Every structure is written in structure tokens, then in C-alpha cells.
């Protein structure tokens, strides 16, 4: 049984679902404000709105997916482990990419790097494969 892995995946899944709330309901109005001020203009206005809605929905869905993966990871299932690893690597890449773009290691998106590290630890260091008995 992978209790630590299970708890880490649950933690990251819950955090990701909760992050959807400010992202969607506070971030989107902020985007509209930037458009209204003319800071985002032209063809970028529609694209930015669409990207923001998409990223909000995907944030919520990826959080739900981690919640769905938590039990199979607890049971030591390989395919859940691979999915958790891919999501973790993706979160780390996103967070580090944002650090590179912003020029600051600790930026508002750094939290995603931490979440990715927690997921990777859950499916590597703390993970034990299920033992199947015939």
C-alpha cells in the first residue's frame, strides 16, 4: 500500500481543483480589465480570453484526474503511476518555463513546480508496485 503516495496525489489534486476558483473567477475579470485598458488588443483579445477559459477548465480537469488516480496509485497500479509521473513532469516543466520567462525563479507560477515535484516524489520515491499473487 502506498499511503504517502496516495496522500500526496490527493493533496496536489485538491490544491489544483482549488486553484481553479481564483484562476477562473478572479483571473478572467482581470484579463477583461487589461483588454478594456487596451493593454491587450487586436486579435490577441479573443485569443487571450479563449486561452484563459481553456486553462481554467483544464486546471479543474487535471485536478479531478489526479483525484481519480489517487486510489490506483495507492494500490500500486503501474498505469496510474505513469499518468501521475507525466502530470508531475508537465507541472514541473510549466513552472520552470514560467520561471525562465519571468526571469525570476520564485514567481506566481512557481507553486506549480512544487506541485509537480510532490507528484513525481509520490510516484517514484514513495511508490511501491502492487504485488500480484497467482
Amino acid at each position: 500500500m502506498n499511503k504517502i503516495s496516495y496522500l500526496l496525489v490527493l493533496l496536489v489534486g485538491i490544491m489544483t481543483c482549488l486553484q481553479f476558483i481564483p484562476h477562473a473567477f478572479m483571473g478572467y475579470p482581470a484579463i477583461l480589465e487589461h483588454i478594456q485598458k487596451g493593454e491587450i488588443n487586436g486579435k490577441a483579445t479573443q485569443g487571450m480570453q479563449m486561452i484563459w477559459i481553456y486553462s481554467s477548465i483544464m486546471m479543474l480537469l487535471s485536478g479531478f484526474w489526479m483525484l481519480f488516480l489517487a486510489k490506483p496509485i495507492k494500490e500500486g497500479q503501474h498505469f496510474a503511476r505513469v499518468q501521475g509521473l507525466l502530470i508531475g513532469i508537465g507541472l514541473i516543466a510549466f513552472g520552470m518555463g514560467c520561471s525562465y520567462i519571468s526571469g525570476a525563479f520564485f514567481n506566481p507560477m512557481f507553486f506549480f513546480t512544487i506541485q509537480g515535484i510532490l507528484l513525481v516524489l509520490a510516484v517514484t520515491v514513495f511508490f511501491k508496485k502492487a504485488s500480484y499473487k497467482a
Side-chain angles (χ1 to χ4, degrees):
M1 177 164 36
N2 295 302
K3 189 173 182 178
I4 294 173
S5 294
Y6 172 74
L7 293 174
L8 286 173
V9 174
L10 272 182
L11 175 69
V12 174
I14 290 168
M15 288 188 313
T16 304
C17 287
L18 290 174
Q19 287 171 323
F20 157 81
I21 296 167
H23 188 273
F25 298 110
M26 291 170 26
Y28 189 71
I31 292 298
L32 295 177
E33 185 179 314
H34 287 288
I35 290 170
Q36 201 171 42
K37 290 179 182 177
E39 295 169 348
I40 302 170
N41 52 48
K43 291 182 180 182
T45 59
Q46 288 180 341
M48 191 63 177
Q49 290 176 67
M50 288 185 250
I51 290 167
W52 203 271
I53 291 169
Y54 176 78
S55 63
S56 294
I57 292 168
M58 291 311 295
M59 184 181 292
L60 184 61
L61 290 176
S62 64
F64 282 152
W65 193 250
M66 286 180 257
L67 296 176
F68 290 134
L69 288 176
K71 186 178 179 201
I73 285 174
K74 183 179 182 180
E75 296 167 351
Q77 293 182 18
H78 177 70
F79 287 112
R81 179 186 196 185
V82 171
Q83 291 173 61
L85 183 63
L86 291 174
I87 294 170
I89 291 169
L91 287 169
I92 292 169
F94 173 70
M96 296 305 291
C98 290
S99 292
Y100 176 76
I101 290 167
S102 72
F105 188 70
F106 295 106
N107 64 78
M109 301 300 150
F110 180 73
F111 195 64
F112 289 100
T113 305
I114 300 299
Q115 288 177 278
I117 291 168
L118 290 175
L119 271 182
V120 169
L121 287 173
V123 297
T124 56
V125 174
F126 298 111
F127 188 86
K128 295 175 190 75
K129 290 182 184 179
S131 58
Y132 297 101
K133 295 181 182 178

